[in-house]
Amino acid sequence: MSKKALFKLFDLSGLLIFPILSLLYTWLNTHPSEAVNISMPIDDKIPFLSVFIVPYIIWYAFIFGYLFIFWHKNSALYWKTIWSIALGEIICFAIYYFFQTTVPRPSVEGKGMLSALVTLIYSNDEPFNCFPSIHVLTTSLIMMTSFHFKKTGAFRKWTIHTIGALIILSTLFVKQHVFLDLVGGLLIAAGVHAIFFKVTLPSFKVEREKSKQDYQAF
């Protein structure tokens, strides 16, 4: 196996951060402190639409699917995305620990597939760890990274940003989050993205990546 191939396989180790982050999330979600409701009048006007459970669940494939694409196309951008997500989630966890929020959930009526999926999500994810939204944070970071790939076709750009927008909106329409949760996720995403993508960090000068490859299409 060539040295380049070994480097590529080693890069996949970056995905191991996610099981660790998941354990921290679960602990905070099942050991909440006194939670507060930070919903606003605008949240009362946002309807519950069970159809949005589809993009909400697609989030899982969206995040890891695009991380694999980034890994395949550009190791440097892949690692920057991994570290951006990790730092963003750690910031969220710190907020959850000191300022736990909750979201009032509607009663799920009906026996269709969409209602069953909503019930499944509700039963496996307690209504805590809400502000800021990790769904919004991670989706936004994937979308932001995509801008660093040049010569990307219009269809691929349309696909990633349309799906990403639907995932972000789904957090509101399935009542997993409130408007301020969305705003908080966007702000943290913008902050950590600036740290890893706008500031030159020596640790990200990966020798096996030529500078001209940093902006190849995906």
Side-chain angles (χ1 to χ4, degrees):
M1 183 177 292
S2 67
K3 184 177 180 181
K4 181 178 180 180
L6 286 172
F7 271 128
K8 291 296 290 184
L9 287 176
F10 171 77
D11 286 339
L12 286 176
S13 65
L15 297 176
L16 295 176
I17 190 66
F18 290 100
I20 299 173
L21 293 172
S22 180
L23 288 174
L24 289 172
Y25 177 90
T26 301
W27 184 82
L28 289 166
N29 196 246
T30 54
H31 296 77
S33 57
E34 184 177 352
V36 298
N37 179 1
I38 60 172
S39 60
M40 303 168 61
I42 190 175
D43 294 298
D44 296 329
K45 297 180 180 180
I46 298 174
F48 167 73
L49 300 175
S50 60
V51 68
F52 272 89
I53 196 63
V54 176
Y56 187 86
I57 293 175
I58 286 176
W59 171 79
Y60 299 94
F62 179 86
I63 297 300
F64 289 103
Y66 276 106
L67 281 175
F68 273 109
I69 291 174
F70 297 163
W71 165 77
H72 176 69
K73 293 295 184 178
N74 188 291
S75 293
L77 294 182
Y78 162 82
W79 276 108
K80 287 185 178 184
T81 309
I82 290 286
W83 289 117
S84 296
I85 291 175
L87 177 58
E89 290 199 20
I90 290 172
I91 292 172
C92 289
F93 295 162
I95 295 174
Y96 298 157
Y97 185 81
F98 292 104
F99 182 65
Q100 185 63 266
T101 63
T102 185
V103 175
R105 289 173 169 175
S107 57
V108 182
E109 300 178 356
K111 297 182 180 180
M113 181 184 68
L114 295 176
S115 296
L117 288 174
V118 174
T119 301
L120 177 66
I121 292 298
Y122 282 5
S123 63
N124 286 278
D125 187 15
E126 296 293 331
F128 306 112
N129 293 357
C130 301
F131 174 83
S133 167
I134 286 180
H135 253 63
V136 174
L137 166 77
T138 52
T139 301
S140 300
L141 286 172
I142 292 294
M143 295 166 71
M144 290 175 185
T145 298
S146 72
F147 285 117
H148 294 273
F149 288 88
K150 306 301 182 183
K151 300 180 182 180
T152 300
F155 177 76
R156 291 183 178 179
K157 287 182 179 180
W158 181 89
T159 299
I160 188 172
H161 294 296
T162 298
I163 296 175
L166 288 173
I167 291 172
I168 290 172
L169 290 175
S170 74
T171 64
L172 300 179
F173 287 117
V174 297
K175 299 300 180 179
Q176 280 287 86
H177 291 281
V178 296
F179 183 72
L180 286 178
D181 300 339
L182 185 154
V183 173
L186 288 174
L187 290 176
I188 293 178
V192 296
H193 178 81
I195 291 173
F196 288 99
F197 284 84
K198 302 300 182 181
V199 178
T200 301
L201 300 177
S203 59
F204 288 109
K205 292 181 179 178
V206 184
E207 291 296 333
R208 64 184 184 278
E209 293 290 343
K210 302 299 183 182
S211 60
K212 65 180 180 180
Q213 293 179 320
D214 286 347
Y215 301 100
Q216 63 188 14
F218 72 93

